Amino acid sequence: YPAALAGLDRLLASTPSDREGQDLRKVALYQYGKAQFAQQQYEASYKTFTQLAKIQPGYEDSPRLLQQSRARLVDKHYSEGIKLYRDEKLKEAIREWQVVLEFEPTHANAKKNIEQAERLLKGLEQRKKK
């Protein structure tokens, strides 16, 4: 897919009004996003479906797949944050939860967990100073 998309991009750069080329690009992006999603490459599929949405919002079922990719990314980063927190890797956990907030700014648990981890880090730093 990446090679096909690169070829289409070169073609469209030389003939931007090529309707068939535009349609082929949409199909290629859609199929590529679906393949990435099926392979659980959620970040890549999110980027691909976002790119497709810029060209044609509502293409096939891409809005649903974009939303599902985003939800899976949120779950993945949130769970990774929990794992890191349990492993006492607080700074890394905070970074994972911050990624969650980039995708879902109202994610209450990520916000709460960040605050809790920051309090713990602050307490640990104060103990080290003593």
Side-chain angles (χ1 to χ4, degrees):
Y1 288 104
L5 285 166
L8 281 170
D9 287 342
R10 283 191 300 277
L11 171 70
L12 291 172
S14 63
T15 56
S17 61
D18 183 354
R19 184 88 174 134
E20 271 186 44
Q22 293 288 350
D23 289 343
L24 279 173
R25 188 164 195 280
K26 292 174 198 172
V27 170
L29 282 170
Y30 177 73
Q31 292 300 326
Y32 189 34
K34 282 180 64 172
Q36 291 167 322
F37 187 86
Q39 295 169 357
Q40 299 179 356
Q41 298 172 348
Y42 301 121
E43 189 163 348
S45 69
Y46 178 81
K47 288 178 182 177
T48 302
F49 286 124
T50 299
Q51 197 176 4
L52 178 58
K54 290 177 184 174
I55 298 169
Q56 184 175 346
Y59 185 82
E60 299 285 332
D61 63 341
S62 63
R64 179 183 62 81
L65 291 168
L66 176 64
Q67 183 180 359
Q68 286 180 348
S69 295
R70 187 178 140 280
R72 301 271 169 86
L73 268 174
V74 166
D75 290 345
K76 176 183 167 256
H77 285 285
Y78 184 77
S79 296
E80 184 62 21
I82 295 291
K83 180 184 172 291
L84 289 164
Y85 183 85
R86 288 182 183 150
D87 292 342
E88 298 178 7
K89 297 178 181 176
L90 300 177
K91 289 180 182 178
E92 293 89 344
I94 290 169
R95 272 187 241 129
E96 289 295 322
W97 292 323
Q98 286 170 336
V99 172
V100 168
L101 294 178
E102 288 173 19
F103 287 104
E104 194 175 314
T106 60
H107 196 287
N109 287 334
K111 287 180 182 180
K112 180 185 71 161
N113 292 351
I114 288 171
E115 290 170 4
Q116 183 177 352
E118 286 175 341
R119 278 194 309 271
L120 281 171
L121 274 175
K122 188 177 178 181
L124 290 171
E125 288 173 9
Q126 287 175 349
R127 286 185 186 155
K128 284 181 183 179
K129 289 179 184 178
K130 291 181 181 182

